[in-house]
Amino acid sequence: MFDSAAGRETLLEINNIEVIYNHVILVLKGVSLSVPKGGITALLGGNGAGKTTTLKAISNLLHSERGEVTKGAINYRGEPIQKMDPASLVKKGVIQVMEGRHCFEHLTVEENLLTGAYTRTDGRAAVAQDLEMVYSYFPRLKERRKSQAGYTSGGEQQMCAMGRALMSRPETILLDEPSMGLAPQLVEQIFEIVKAVNEGEGVTFLLAEQNTNIALRYGHYGYILESGRVVMDGPAEALRENPDVKEFYLGMSEQGRKSFRDVRSYRRRKRWLA
Ligand SMILES: Nc1ncnc2c1ncn2[C@@H]1O[C@H](COP(=O)(O)OP(=O)(O)OP(=O)(O)O)[C@@H](O)[C@H]1O
Ligand SMILES: [Mg+2]
């Protein structure tokens, strides 16, 4: 079990970063966060809050989007990683699972998983062993291993993308919106697997989620982003009990459950934006 009081080593440290798209659109306005080894850290926030941008800033995927980190620092194990290309970062142990679960549609599930091992140099036997490791967490992928990825379900594709990341033997996975477009039961299954991989393999997660409820149930610590700023952070348990989080993100209040529409109309009252 993860114990936040145990004073874990910090793997990833983001210090006051600013991200600008197309030279003019300021999207992240001084975001700082730290990701402890062995934990599940949740990056929360609604549509367009800046979650994906933060993950892409870490894994250096902003260039293709005409985005740039213009201020601040990003360190992994105390080393600056801003100049590192995504492949070198994978070798360092950091891999991103993109939003929208990108699998190679024309390859089979197993071929997709094997592409995840491309940066490895430790031989076929080790890769074969890890394929079995991945199948132990994702039995569904084993059943579907000969199927063309493009014909598998959304949940299976999410699993395939996560399994492929695991094949690089990462220390840290940046997981973007794993719940997107999946039925609640499947979302629960995916998060159970995240938990199992975190506990069983010791993989550290930084996961971006709009689904605050599930992310705070499985995450150990959370950061809430709004319009490119961290507006609140704390241990998941504390955030779950926080009245503002309950009202604005979990759709609950003293009076009981609120509909999303009600919550939206109450947004003006938000203390942290005042
Ligand atoms: N390539 C881009 N060029 C210009 N603006 C962009 C680009 N990508 C994202 N943005 C803007 O940056 C802001 C943050 O977007 P981002 O995708 O990081 O949010 P998000 O929190 O991941 O949202 P979602 O939950 O919808 O995925 C949004 O206002 C978005 O319109
Ligand atoms: Mg996003």
Side-chain angles (χ1 to χ4, degrees):
M1 243 321 267
F2 177 77
D3 177 9
S4 56
R8 302 261 181 155
E9 169 190 3
T10 297
L11 282 184
L12 177 68
E13 184 101 58
I14 299 185
N15 198 353
N16 213 11
I17 59 165
E18 189 176 277
V19 169
I20 295 181
Y21 283 113
N22 292 318
H23 302 291
V24 287
I25 311 162
L26 177 62
V27 168
L28 296 189
K29 305 156 187 166
V31 168
S32 298
L33 54 91
S34 67
V35 176
K37 185 172 168 60
I40 301 176
T41 303
L43 190 55
L44 306 165
N47 244 320
K51 304 179 297 297
T52 298
T53 302
T54 305
L55 296 191
K56 285 186 172 170
I58 299 164
S59 49
N60 251 317
L61 292 168
L62 284 175
H63 300 299
S64 56
E65 311 249 351
R66 297 178 53 78
E68 201 187 345
V69 178
T70 47
K71 266 191 200 152
I74 305 174
N75 291 328
Y76 192 77
R77 290 186 165 281
E79 231 184 279
I81 55 172
Q82 260 156 281
K83 300 266 178 305
M84 231 177 238
D85 61 87
S88 314
L89 210 54
V90 171
K91 282 196 185 138
K92 228 177 147 46
V94 185
I95 192 159
Q96 175 157 359
V97 178
M98 307 267 266
E99 187 174 52
R101 50 191 90 97
H102 296 271
C103 295
F104 299 109
E105 292 182 4
H106 302 293
L107 299 184
T108 65
V109 166
E110 186 155 295
E111 286 164 348
N112 263 281
L113 294 177
L114 289 171
T115 63
Y118 79 102
T119 51
R120 291 176 50 167
T121 50
D122 52 354
R124 290 174 61 165
V127 170
Q129 204 176 346
D130 283 350
L131 195 57
E132 285 312 308
M133 177 272 290
V134 168
Y135 286 146
S136 73
Y137 288 104
F138 300 94
R140 186 75 193 141
L141 291 184
K142 188 162 193 173
E143 286 167 31
R144 302 286 270 147
R145 68 185 192 278
K146 297 247 185 318
S147 311
Q148 201 174 314
Y151 293 120
T152 61
S153 71
E156 288 160 354
Q157 288 184 27
Q158 180 64 47
M159 292 179 190
C160 183
M162 288 165 64
R164 191 175 63 199
L166 261 186
M167 287 300 291
S168 71
R169 273 279 168 198
E171 182 174 48
T172 298
I173 295 182
L174 310 173
L175 184 55
D176 198 355
E177 211 88 52
S179 77
M180 195 161 92
L182 300 181
Q185 205 187 346
L186 255 172
V187 172
E188 200 75 38
Q189 237 183 67
I190 296 281
F191 273 81
E192 277 297 325
I193 296 170
V194 168
K195 179 176 149 87
V197 169
N198 170 252
E199 289 175 1
E201 306 299 315
V203 173
T204 299
F205 282 89
L206 174 59
L207 81 93
E209 256 305 334
Q210 277 202 29
N211 187 333
T212 313
N213 188 328
I214 194 140
L216 287 181
R217 273 198 287 120
Y218 286 89
H220 305 124
Y221 198 93
Y223 290 85
I224 301 180
L225 271 182
E226 264 185 34
S227 314
R229 288 196 175 87
V230 174
V231 290
M232 203 187 285
D233 68 289
E237 234 178 84
L239 289 180
R240 273 203 314 262
E241 293 308 315
N242 180 294
D244 286 332
V245 175
K246 272 188 176 166
E247 179 166 4
F248 296 116
Y249 288 96
L250 299 172
M252 295 185 285
S253 71
E254 302 284 293
Q255 290 81 41
R257 198 161 264 279
K258 280 210 166 91
S259 79
F260 184 62
R261 197 176 287 267
D262 289 338
V263 172
R264 278 170 67 100
S265 66
Y266 278 29
R267 274 181 181 263
R268 257 170 269 130
R269 258 184 41 207
K270 253 187 234 186
R271 289 208 273 279
W272 61 73
L273 291 180

